[in-house]
């Protein structure tokens, strides 16, 4: 069964799968731009769903339908992007079976690639997705069994991020900044040796601007793009990225930066970050930064690495309920498997789409009942107790919503939100088990 990954950007859509030797590889299709992917059709510009549909249709014209399809989506508002992807790739009536569509956020896809290669152990990282439209920075904490998002920031000028830089280069070089001009500039950058040449010329221009500023780093449509033009336009990339990094990471030890996306190929940008003391995380040898996310997603789609983007088990709490006038012990599902996101919002117990209101003790009791918390695997039925909590009592009319919050370090807390005048509370659960095969002991009482 073929597993496929798709990453739709603002200019190109990239497709990847795991090859026969177990390594992720781009899928080249008719019409693909070498090293880039399928150009986003003009009619789909700004519409990620339409770009996905166009790329998937192009794939299907050459290959059988994949058994599993994983779509890379931005971390921000992932749920909305997931819905759009599912809608875009659903099969119209009478066209056969639709693929099984799942989504993975860009930072988790990139870190899946690094973790699979052994290049990202436990610690703090920043995934910098630098594309034509925006520079997205996501601070992540890698722990055993989870990749937690600790902070995000986005720099998205109205005229684009990489696009604005390219427009400035073309304009300052006397070239039209239309679609043809942008494609021509991208083509010369992709030529063998282009990256090394621009680095050498810019180094010389930095040492002796008067002599080397007019030296050409590229020739586009017969006109030179000079070192002086590149140096003068560079702040369009560096200033916004510096602000996004400061906002997402804040003070503290410098986290290694995983630079991905088409703009991440630009050597002077990397040199700027290194000069500022920003350590760079190494991508696996030979990895094109523009393809890093889709290659990581291909590994996840094929089951070669766990996405580690959600807590894999369900969380239950012991409860009491009156059934036919008699008290009965039950368990209340607080969060289903795969719904807790490290560093994300609390997930609350629901029934029929509405949060469940609970009492924390017998009517009018000053002391509440002990509440036992358990995690379980809905697939194989395995489970383990986590902790027994003593929650405070309350009045006969006091009701609470009960939830679980999962922190970036793998610890969790039981959350009580009052429906009325009661006091909210947060009760530590410790580190949640990430492998029921080995983490099978109660961690507190």
């Amino acid at each position: 069964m073929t597993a496929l990954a798709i990453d739709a950007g603002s200019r190109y859509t990239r497709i990847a799968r795991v090859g026969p030797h177990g390594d992720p590889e781009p899928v080249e299709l008719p019409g693909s731009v070498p090293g880039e992917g399928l150009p986003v059709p003009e009619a789909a510009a700004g519409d990620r769903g339409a770009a996905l549909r166009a790329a998937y249709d192009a794939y299907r014209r050459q290959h059988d339908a994949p058994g599993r399809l994983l779509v890379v989506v931005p971390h921000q508002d992932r749920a909305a992007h997931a819905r759009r992807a599912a809608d875009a790739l659903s099969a119209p009536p009478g066209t056969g079976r639709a693929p099984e569509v799942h989504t993975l956020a860009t930072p988790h896809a990139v870190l899946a690639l690094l973790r699979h290669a052994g290049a990202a152990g436990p610690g703090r990282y920043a995934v910098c997705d630098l594309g034509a439209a925006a520079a997205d920075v996501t601070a992540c904490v890698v722990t055993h069994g989870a990749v937690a998002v600790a902070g995000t920031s986005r720099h998205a000028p109205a005229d684009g991020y990489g696009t604005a830089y390219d427009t400035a280069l073309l304009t300052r070089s006397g070239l039209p900044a239309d679609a043809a001009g942008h494609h021509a500039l991208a083509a010369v950058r992709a030529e063998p040796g282009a990256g090394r040449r621009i680095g050498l010329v810019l180094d010389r221009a930095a040492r002796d601007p008067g002599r080397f500023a007019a030296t050409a780093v590229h020739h586009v449509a017969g006109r030179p793009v000079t070192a002086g033009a590149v140096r003068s336009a560079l702040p369009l990339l560096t200033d916004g990225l510096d602000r996004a990094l400061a906002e997402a990471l804040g003070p503290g030890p410098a986290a290694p930066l995983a630079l991905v996306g088409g703009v991440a190929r630009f050597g002077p940008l990397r040199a700027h970050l290194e000069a500022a003391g920003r350590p760079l995380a190494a991508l696996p040898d030979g990895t094109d930064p523009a393809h890093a996310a889709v290659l990581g997603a291909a590994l996840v789609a094929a089951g070669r690495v766990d996405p580690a983007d959600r807590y894999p088990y369900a969380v239950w709490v012991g409860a009491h309920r009156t059934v036919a006038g008699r008290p009965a012990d039950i368990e209340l599902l607080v969060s289903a498997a795969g719904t807790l996101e490290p560093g994300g919002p609390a997930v609350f117990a629901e029934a029929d789409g509405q949060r469940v209101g609970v009492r924390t003790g017998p009517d009018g009791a000053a002391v509440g009942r002990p509440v036992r918390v358990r995690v379980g695997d809905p697939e194989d039925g395995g489970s383990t107790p986590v902790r027994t909590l003593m929650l405070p009592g309350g009045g006969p009319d006091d009701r609470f919503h009960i939830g679980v919050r999962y922190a970036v370090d793998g610890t969790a807390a039981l959350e009580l939100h009052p429906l009325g005048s009661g006091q909210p509370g947060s009760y530590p659960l410790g580190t949640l088990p990430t492998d029921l095969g080995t983490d099978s002991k109660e961690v507190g009482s």
Side-chain angles (χ1 to χ4, degrees):
M1 181 182 294
T2 304
L4 196 70
I6 303 181
D7 181 13
S10 56
R11 288 186 184 175
Y12 298 98
T13 300
R14 298 171 175 107
I15 303 175
R17 63 189 172 199
V18 171
H21 300 294
D23 297 320
E25 59 186 24
V27 176
E28 298 294 341
L29 297 172
S32 294
V33 176
E36 292 290 2
L38 282 170
V40 173
E42 187 174 344
D47 186 340
R48 184 181 294 269
L52 282 171
R53 182 76 242 181
Y56 181 71
D57 288 345
Y59 176 85
R60 286 287 289 113
R61 286 193 287 271
Q62 303 295 321
H63 303 279
D64 292 336
R68 179 178 172 84
L69 179 60
L70 190 61
V71 177
V72 180
V73 298
H75 176 76
Q76 293 89 345
D77 200 15
R78 176 181 171 181
H81 285 290
R83 288 194 298 272
R84 295 188 193 108
D87 291 343
L89 296 173
S90 61
T95 60
R97 183 178 61 87
E100 179 188 350
V101 180
H102 297 269
T103 58
L104 187 67
T106 299
H108 291 96
V110 172
L111 286 169
L113 178 69
L114 296 183
R115 290 186 295 112
H116 182 262
R124 189 175 176 87
Y125 298 84
V127 176
C128 307
D129 184 17
L130 313 179
D136 288 302
V137 178
T138 307
C140 299
V141 178
V142 177
T143 60
H144 176 61
V147 172
V149 171
T152 62
S153 183
R154 180 176 174 83
H155 172 62
D159 51 353
Y161 177 63
T163 297
Y165 171 79
D166 288 352
T167 297
L169 281 188
L170 292 167
T171 301
R172 294 171 192 186
S173 304
L175 292 159
D178 54 12
H182 282 276
H183 284 301
L185 180 58
V188 298
R189 282 182 180 149
E191 293 174 356
R196 179 177 299 179
R197 174 176 172 77
I198 192 172
L200 291 173
V201 174
L202 289 180
D203 284 345
R204 292 170 181 167
R207 293 192 299 268
D208 190 350
R211 181 180 177 187
F212 292 103
T215 302
V217 297
H218 302 302
H219 281 86
V220 178
R223 297 187 66 90
V225 176
T226 66
V230 171
R231 284 173 56 83
S232 65
L234 185 58
L236 292 171
L237 298 180
T238 57
D239 291 355
L241 178 56
D242 287 345
R243 290 194 299 271
L245 285 167
E247 182 178 338
L249 301 182
L257 310 182
L259 298 186
V260 301
V263 180
R265 298 164 169 159
F266 189 49
L269 181 59
R270 302 175 65 87
H272 165 80
L273 294 170
E274 290 172 336
R278 299 278 191 183
L280 303 182
L283 297 178
D285 288 345
T287 300
D288 184 333
H291 288 83
V294 76
L295 295 177
L299 288 167
V300 172
R304 298 303 179 97
V305 62
D306 188 275
D309 62 340
R310 292 289 190 274
Y311 185 63
Y313 303 127
V315 181
W316 302 78
V317 299
H320 300 271
R321 185 176 184 181
T322 300
V323 179
R326 303 183 64 178
D329 291 337
I330 65 168
E331 278 195 312
L332 179 65
L333 176 65
V334 179
S335 69
T339 57
L340 278 178
E341 179 184 356
V347 175
F348 289 88
E350 293 186 351
D352 298 325
Q354 300 294 322
R355 288 186 181 180
V356 176
V358 300
R359 288 199 301 264
T360 57
D363 287 351
V367 178
R369 293 188 178 96
V371 173
R372 194 171 183 84
V373 182
R374 176 179 69 87
V375 299
D377 187 338
E379 293 189 3
D380 66 13
S383 70
T384 188
V386 176
R387 176 162 293 192
T388 299
L389 302 172
M390 181 63 73
L391 302 182
D397 297 323
D398 288 347
R399 295 288 189 280
F400 296 84
H401 291 148
I402 188 167
V404 178
R405 187 181 301 276
Y406 194 36
V408 297
D409 61 0
T411 61
L414 197 70
E415 303 279 336
L416 291 180
H417 284 196
L419 277 69
S421 59
Q423 292 296 314
S426 181
Y427 304 89
L429 293 173
T431 302
L432 291 184
T434 55
D435 183 354
L436 292 187
T438 57
D439 301 337
S440 57
K441 61 182 180 180
E442 189 166 4
V443 296
S445 60

